[in-house]
């Protein structure tokens, strides 16, 4: 019993009490405890019943089996104490189960239908595209997004805690799990039209908080890993059939790219060349991908953002960060000229 309490106490003290549900659902640990309890109470009952040879054989078997289970429990506890082997896969499995439930909801309530029409009108005014008002696959249910966010909240607290340590391997695994869940969400909602996504709002807020916390530490590795994760998540939104696609916009990638632009400007102003260089490089990579995929207007917005970062570089005489800006601008405008695309509403 003491062995089981060790990882539970560790997770509660270091991370979040909400993680206890994963220990309650661990069937192997529960099965081991049930067998050990049965063996314990069986040997107690032998004090009150007449002994026979069969009881001796059963007792010897249970005793040997209990020792084997204790050894197995020790290895199980060692695995439970490592979040990357025990906790992260289970969080990802729960999120995958939630994502499998994403499907278009039949809107029977007139108020819901009116809300959808208002959402469609906003999108049409922004992108200038025609939308079928009878389209079922329009936006993901708020209840599904809420469940997904609740499952991902412990990951945020774990990453925030790891930033204060030097556990690079565990930090990398946590970021990898967070990134894979986010990418899986955008892949699942590939055919949904709306770009007003509550999960995207949560994702931007969470990543912004994590980057700010990482910048507070003296370790560049944390911010570099986060910048790369933001870029990879943004690039995986390019295949989503979002409103604005036919007009050269991508309203899913640009908010994520905005985080990198903000950190690039702050890094240049503070003369933090490592973080300024990394954020600018990833910001430019998103712009290059947008221009290559035909999102011309969003790519130009990123080019304007790079221009703003370059102006700050000129003010503080930062010639290092100008290198990725120059390369990104060259690639963006090359792609815009080489892969030209005419939009119906322009």
């Amino acid at each position: 019993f003491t062995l089981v309490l060790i990882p539970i106490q560790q997770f509660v003290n270091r991370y979040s009490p909400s993680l206890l549900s994963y220990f309650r659902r661990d069937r192997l640990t529960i099965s081991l405890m049930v067998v050990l309890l049965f063996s314990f109470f069986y040997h107690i009952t032998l004090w009150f019943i007449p002994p026979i040879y069969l009881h001796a054989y059963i007792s010897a078997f249970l005793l040997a089996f209990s020792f084997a289970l204790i050894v197995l429990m020790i290895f199980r506890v060692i695995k439970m104490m490592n979040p990357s082997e025990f906790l992260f896969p289970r969080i990802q499995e729960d999120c995958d189960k939630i994502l499998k439930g994403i499907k278009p909801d039949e809107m029977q309530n007139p108020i819901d239908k009116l809300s959808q029409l208002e959402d469609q009108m906003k999108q049409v005014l922004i992108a200038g595209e025609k939308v079928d008002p009878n389209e079922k696959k329009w936006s993901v249910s708020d209840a599904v997004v809420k469940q997904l966010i609740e499952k991902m909240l412990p990951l945020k607290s774990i990453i925030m805690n790891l930033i204060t340590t030097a556990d690079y391997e565990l930090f990398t695994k946590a970021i990898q799990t967070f990134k894979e869940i986010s990418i899986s969400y955008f892949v699942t909602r590939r055919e949904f039209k709306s770009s007003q996504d509550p999960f995207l709002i949560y994702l931007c807020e969470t990543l912004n908080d994590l980057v700010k916390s990482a910048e507070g530490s003296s370790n560049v590795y944390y911010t570099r890993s986060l910048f790369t994760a933001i870029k990879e998540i943004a690039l995986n939104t390019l295949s989503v059939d979002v409103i604005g696609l036919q007009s050269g916009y991508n309203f899913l990638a640009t908010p994520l790219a905005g985080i990198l632009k903000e950190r690039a400007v702050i890094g240049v102003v503070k003369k933090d060349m490592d973080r300024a260089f990394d954020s600018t490089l990833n910001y430019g990579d998103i712009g290059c991908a947008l221009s290559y995929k035909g999102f011309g207007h969003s790519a130009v917005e990123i080019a304007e953002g790079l221009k703003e970062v370059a102006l700050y570089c000129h003010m503080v005489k930062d010639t290092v960060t100008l290198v990725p800006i120059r390369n990104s601008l060259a690639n963006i405008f090359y792609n815009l000229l080489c892969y030209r695309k005419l939009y119906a509403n322009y």
Side-chain angles (χ1 to χ4, degrees):
F1 298 106
T2 307
L3 289 174
V4 178
L5 291 177
I6 294 174
I8 294 177
Q9 185 177 6
Q10 173 187 335
F11 277 87
V12 171
N13 292 338
R14 293 186 59 186
Y15 304 126
S16 172
S18 61
L19 300 175
L20 293 177
S21 61
Y22 291 98
F23 292 96
R24 291 199 302 266
R25 290 160 43 192
D26 187 31
R27 296 180 180 178
L28 179 58
T29 303
I30 294 174
S31 302
L32 294 176
M33 297 298 295
V34 169
V35 175
L36 289 174
L37 286 173
F38 174 78
S39 176
F40 175 73
F41 285 111
Y42 178 81
H43 284 87
I44 290 178
T45 56
L46 291 180
W47 291 86
F48 304 99
I49 59 176
I52 59 176
Y53 287 109
L54 180 62
H55 290 165
Y57 290 128
I58 296 175
S59 176
F61 171 77
L62 287 177
L63 186 62
F65 191 53
S66 297
F67 277 112
L69 291 180
I70 291 174
V71 174
L72 183 61
M73 179 71 76
I74 292 173
F75 287 104
R76 185 64 176 174
V77 169
I78 293 173
K79 183 178 180 180
M80 292 169 70
M81 292 182 68
N82 188 354
S84 62
E85 294 184 6
F86 177 78
L87 184 62
F88 296 163
R90 281 161 178 75
I91 293 177
Q92 191 164 359
E93 287 175 6
D94 287 349
C95 292
D96 290 340
K97 290 178 182 178
I98 295 172
L99 292 175
K100 288 180 180 178
I102 292 181
K103 57 183 179 179
D105 296 327
E106 292 288 344
M107 294 188 176
Q108 303 295 336
N109 191 341
I111 297 178
D112 293 338
K113 290 184 178 180
L114 180 61
S115 176
Q116 174 175 306
L117 287 173
E118 291 177 352
D119 191 14
Q120 290 175 335
M121 290 175 65
K122 291 178 183 178
Q123 299 289 333
V124 170
L125 289 174
I126 292 172
E129 293 181 8
K130 294 181 180 180
V131 174
D132 182 5
N134 297 319
E135 178 69 56
K136 293 181 180 179
K137 287 190 176 182
W138 179 253
S139 59
V140 182
S141 171
D142 291 340
V144 173
V145 174
K146 184 178 180 181
Q147 293 177 6
L148 187 64
I149 292 174
E150 288 177 354
K151 293 297 181 181
M152 294 181 68
L153 281 175
L155 273 178
K156 178 181 177 181
S157 62
I158 290 173
I159 296 172
M160 295 280 279
N161 185 277
L162 290 172
I163 288 174
T164 61
T165 67
D167 195 341
Y168 302 118
E169 181 180 0
L170 191 56
F171 178 85
T172 304
K173 294 287 182 62
I175 291 294
Q176 182 72 18
T177 305
F178 188 91
K179 180 185 68 177
E180 289 178 358
I181 294 172
S182 303
I183 291 175
S184 298
Y185 171 81
F186 288 113
V187 170
T188 304
R189 62 144 290 173
R190 189 186 301 274
E191 299 178 0
F192 288 79
K193 303 291 183 180
S194 175
S195 62
Q196 298 180 358
D197 196 323
F199 179 77
L200 181 64
I201 297 173
Y202 160 78
L203 188 62
C204 291
E205 292 176 351
T206 300
L207 290 171
N208 209 3
D209 293 340
L210 293 176
V211 169
K212 289 179 180 178
S213 299
E215 287 180 347
S217 66
S218 58
N219 199 320
V220 183
Y221 176 81
Y222 295 142
T223 51
R224 185 169 295 159
S225 300
L226 287 168
F227 291 154
T228 305
I230 293 172
K231 179 189 73 174
E232 292 179 358
I233 295 172
L235 294 181
N236 277 274
T237 64
L238 302 184
S239 60
V240 179
D241 185 15
V242 66
I243 193 73
L245 174 67
Q246 303 301 324
S247 303
Y249 291 98
N250 189 301
F251 296 112
L252 298 179
T254 46
L256 294 167
I259 300 174
L260 296 173
K261 177 200 167 184
E262 180 184 355
R263 307 328 300 176
V265 171
I266 293 175
V268 171
V269 172
K270 291 183 176 180
K271 297 183 178 181
D272 189 347
M273 292 187 181
D274 289 327
R275 292 187 173 94
F277 183 92
D278 292 335
S279 56
T280 305
L281 178 64
N282 288 285
Y283 182 56
D285 289 343
I286 296 175
C288 295
L290 287 169
S291 61
Y292 179 77
K293 294 287 187 179
F295 299 100
H297 289 95
S298 294
V300 171
E301 289 179 8
I302 290 185
E304 290 289 335
L306 290 170
K307 171 188 171 184
E308 183 180 343
V309 177
L311 291 175
Y312 282 101
C313 291
H314 179 69
M315 291 170 56
V316 300
K317 298 180 180 179
D318 182 0
T319 57
V320 176
T321 310
L322 285 174
V323 175
I325 293 176
R326 179 189 61 193
N327 296 336
S328 298
L329 287 174
N331 289 326
I332 288 173
F333 287 112
Y334 172 81
N335 290 335
L336 290 175
L337 292 172
C338 186
Y339 308 101
R340 288 178 294 177
K341 187 174 181 181
L342 297 178
Y343 307 117
N345 56 330
Y346 287 95

